[in-house]
Amino acid sequence: MRTKRFHPLLMVFEVWQLLKNTFFLVIFLFIMKANSHSLYIKYGRIIFIIFLGLALLYIVLKWMTHTYALDDRSFHLYQGVFSKTERTIPFSKIQNVTRHTTLFHRLFQVTSISFETGMNGEDAAVKFDVVSQTEANQMEEHMARALRGAVPDAEIIERMEEDSDSSRIIHFKPTKRDVLRASFTSFSFFVIIPILTSFYFKIDEIFHVNKEAEGIFYNIISSWWLLTIMVIVFIIISVTFGMVWTFFKYGKYEISSDQDRIYIAKGIIEETAFSIAKDRVQAVDIDQSFMKRWLGLAEVKLTSAGGLDIGEEKSEVNSLYPFLPKERAYEMIAEILPAYKIIPQMQRLPKKSLWVRLLRPYWIWGIVTIVLYYFKPEVWGVEQAWWLVSAILLFINIALRWINFSNTQYVLHDGFIQLKTGSLTTSLFVTKRDKVIEIEITRNIFQKWLGLASIEMVNRSKPVKHSGIKDVPVEFADAFYQWYLGRKMDITIK
């Protein structure tokens, strides 16, 4: 087993990260306060320069002392500048693999790859922040072959990669219409507002343009034709920016699979690639916001035990395309995960469940009503309007509970359970019995009187995923318990 040093460009990458993190501090100390003779600024510059020198020295020492190796079972990481530690992560613990290629990586034709486990903490993943594309492919293929019991020789890895690529089935690539629809469904045209706001405040900190901006603002609102032109221009810029932003994020999206794994790739400037073994998928979530339900769209998410920590993509990388037509989403699940089944006909809650939900305490409404009664604010110049606001809030709470009751559905089918919950946003959750690690059935006094119960189950994820339904008939709760006891027939102990 031969140990290797990490890619030399890792030092350049970490220097780049260091400069990004200290950029505004440099601006403040050496540009904004360039003419300052304050002792705080003077010593601040000295401390910063010393810190920067030590950080650069540590980056070099870290590259020289940190090594890694792979055998036919595990990753071996040797770390530490002054005190040495060794980490061994078995391939069998790897849940999914994520690649992230930023603009920096693309400039140097490298990538980053992370092998995620189901554990928690900083050591939960084997991360290579900079690695060549060839070596990333070799490591991923080496791990996959080792799990199947045969580690290939280096000279045939390239041929196996070609065979693997040719066996992949592409299930979805967005069209221009899909990207356009995504830009409006995601309200991406509003993205420009926080960007412009953040840019304005940063400029104001340096050049103090607040007074000049106020004068321009008053000139604009005092002229109706100028205001109209500015509004039209802003709408055009916002829509254009939203479409461009959506195109860069979702324009190069691809969902594919082979016999063993699922692959999700996206991004134009910064590329992200996610893969997960099909047998490691713990559950499937089909989410629909109010807008998506209106347009007949859905988002399919894969629940896995591994983490997905790659910066801003953390909550999105395990999602199949977020704006799939609902029917296509169901078809794609059957294509990619034939072991999972979506049952179209589901059971609804009995009417007595609605009364239990409506009679539960309205804590938020009660607290808000007490605050309104104490302050008795005027609303649009109407005195004693607090009671009207309280009544509207109570009506909204009742309506949401009624909608949630109407949307809640459930079904048990062989080794599967399927739950649908939500009010304005709905979630259809599907999992297999052998993926559920814990269940709980509870009944309060009102549920006992009405023959109802609440069920909950736990799936492996990071964090652990809890799913369930309140106020189901007690007969279904009993069937759910018996269904889970049959789990021993699905589990194979090696």
Coordinates of all heavy atoms in Angstrom, one line a residue, residues 190-203 234 237-238 241:
F190 N -36.3 37.6 -8.3 CA -36.2 38.4 -7.1 C -34.8 38.3 -6.5 O -34.4 39.0 -5.5 CB -37.2 37.9 -6.0 CG -38.6 38.3 -6.3 CD1 -39.6 37.3 -6.2 CD2 -38.9 39.6 -6.5 CE1 -40.9 37.7 -6.5 CE2 -40.2 39.9 -6.8 CZ -41.2 39.0 -6.8
V191 N -33.9 37.4 -7.1 CA -32.6 37.2 -6.6 C -31.8 38.5 -6.7 O -30.9 38.8 -5.9 CB -31.9 36.1 -7.3 CG1 -30.4 36.0 -7.0 CG2 -32.5 34.8 -7.0
I192 N -32.1 39.3 -7.7 CA -31.3 40.6 -7.9 C -31.5 41.6 -6.8 O -30.6 42.4 -6.5 CB -31.7 41.2 -9.3 CG1 -30.7 42.2 -9.7 CG2 -33.1 41.8 -9.2 CD1 -30.9 42.8 -11.1
I193 N -32.6 41.5 -6.0 CA -32.9 42.5 -5.0 C -31.9 42.4 -3.8 O -31.2 43.3 -3.5 CB -34.3 42.3 -4.5 CG1 -35.3 42.7 -5.6 CG2 -34.6 43.2 -3.3 CD1 -36.8 42.5 -5.3
P194 N -31.7 41.2 -3.2 CA -30.7 41.1 -2.1 C -29.3 41.3 -2.7 O -28.4 41.9 -1.9 CB -30.8 39.7 -1.6 CG -31.5 38.9 -2.7 CD -32.4 39.9 -3.4
I195 N -29.0 41.0 -3.9 CA -27.7 41.2 -4.5 C -27.4 42.7 -4.6 O -26.3 43.2 -4.2 CB -27.5 40.5 -5.8 CG1 -27.5 39.0 -5.7 CG2 -26.2 41.0 -6.5 CD1 -27.5 38.3 -7.0
L196 N -28.3 43.5 -5.1 CA -28.2 44.9 -5.3 C -28.1 45.6 -3.9 O -27.3 46.5 -3.7 CB -29.3 45.5 -6.1 CG -29.3 45.2 -7.6 CD1 -30.6 45.8 -8.3 CD2 -28.1 45.6 -8.3
T197 N -28.9 45.1 -2.9 CA -28.9 45.7 -1.6 C -27.6 45.5 -0.9 O -27.0 46.4 -0.3 CB -30.1 45.0 -0.7 OG1 -31.3 45.2 -1.4 CG2 -30.1 45.7 0.6
S198 N -27.1 44.3 -1.0 CA -25.8 44.0 -0.4 C -24.7 44.8 -1.0 O -23.8 45.3 -0.4 CB -25.5 42.5 -0.5 OG -24.2 42.2 0.0
F199 N -24.7 44.9 -2.4 CA -23.7 45.7 -3.1 C -23.8 47.2 -2.7 O -22.7 47.8 -2.5 CB -24.0 45.6 -4.6 CG -23.0 46.4 -5.4 CD1 -21.7 45.9 -5.6 CD2 -23.4 47.5 -6.0 CE1 -20.8 46.7 -6.4 CE2 -22.5 48.3 -6.8 CZ -21.2 47.9 -7.0
Y200 N -25.0 47.7 -2.5 CA -25.1 49.1 -2.1 C -24.5 49.4 -0.8 O -23.8 50.4 -0.6 CB -26.6 49.5 -2.1 CG -26.9 50.8 -1.5 CD1 -26.7 52.0 -2.2 CD2 -27.4 50.9 -0.2 CE1 -26.9 53.2 -1.6 CE2 -27.7 52.1 0.4 CZ -27.4 53.3 -0.3 OH -27.6 54.5 0.3
F201 N -24.8 48.5 0.2 CA -24.3 48.7 1.5 C -22.8 48.6 1.6 O -22.1 49.3 2.3 CB -25.0 47.8 2.5 CG -26.4 48.2 2.9 CD1 -27.5 47.4 2.6 CD2 -26.6 49.4 3.6 CE1 -28.7 47.8 2.9 CE2 -27.9 49.8 4.0 CZ -29.0 49.0 3.6
K202 N -22.2 47.7 0.8 CA -20.8 47.6 0.8 C -20.1 48.8 0.2 O -19.1 49.3 0.6 CB -20.4 46.3 0.0 CG -20.7 45.0 0.8 CD -20.2 43.8 0.1 CE -20.6 42.5 0.8 NZ -20.2 42.5 2.2
I203 N -20.7 49.3 -0.9 CA -20.2 50.5 -1.5 C -20.4 51.7 -0.6 O -19.5 52.6 -0.5 CB -21.0 50.8 -2.9 CG1 -20.6 49.7 -3.9 CG2 -20.6 52.2 -3.4 CD1 -19.2 49.8 -4.3
F234 N -36.4 48.1 -14.3 CA -36.1 47.2 -13.2 C -36.7 45.8 -13.4 O -36.1 44.8 -13.2 CB -36.5 47.8 -11.9 CG -36.2 46.9 -10.7 CD1 -35.0 46.8 -10.2 CD2 -37.3 46.1 -10.1 CE1 -34.7 46.0 -9.1 CE2 -37.0 45.3 -9.0 CZ -35.7 45.2 -8.5
I237 N -34.7 44.0 -16.2 CA -33.4 43.6 -15.7 C -33.6 42.4 -14.7 O -32.9 41.4 -14.8 CB -32.7 44.7 -14.9 CG1 -32.3 45.8 -15.9 CG2 -31.5 44.2 -14.2 CD1 -31.7 47.0 -15.3
S238 N -34.7 42.5 -13.9 CA -34.9 41.4 -12.9 C -35.3 40.1 -13.6 O -34.7 39.0 -13.3 CB -36.0 41.8 -11.9 OG -35.7 42.9 -11.2
F241 N -32.1 38.8 -15.5 CA -31.2 38.3 -14.5 C -31.6 36.9 -14.0 O -30.9 36.0 -13.8 CB -31.0 39.3 -13.4 CG -30.0 38.8 -12.4 CD1 -28.6 39.1 -12.6 CD2 -30.3 38.2 -11.2 CE1 -27.7 38.7 -11.6 CE2 -29.4 37.7 -10.3 CZ -28.1 38.0 -10.5

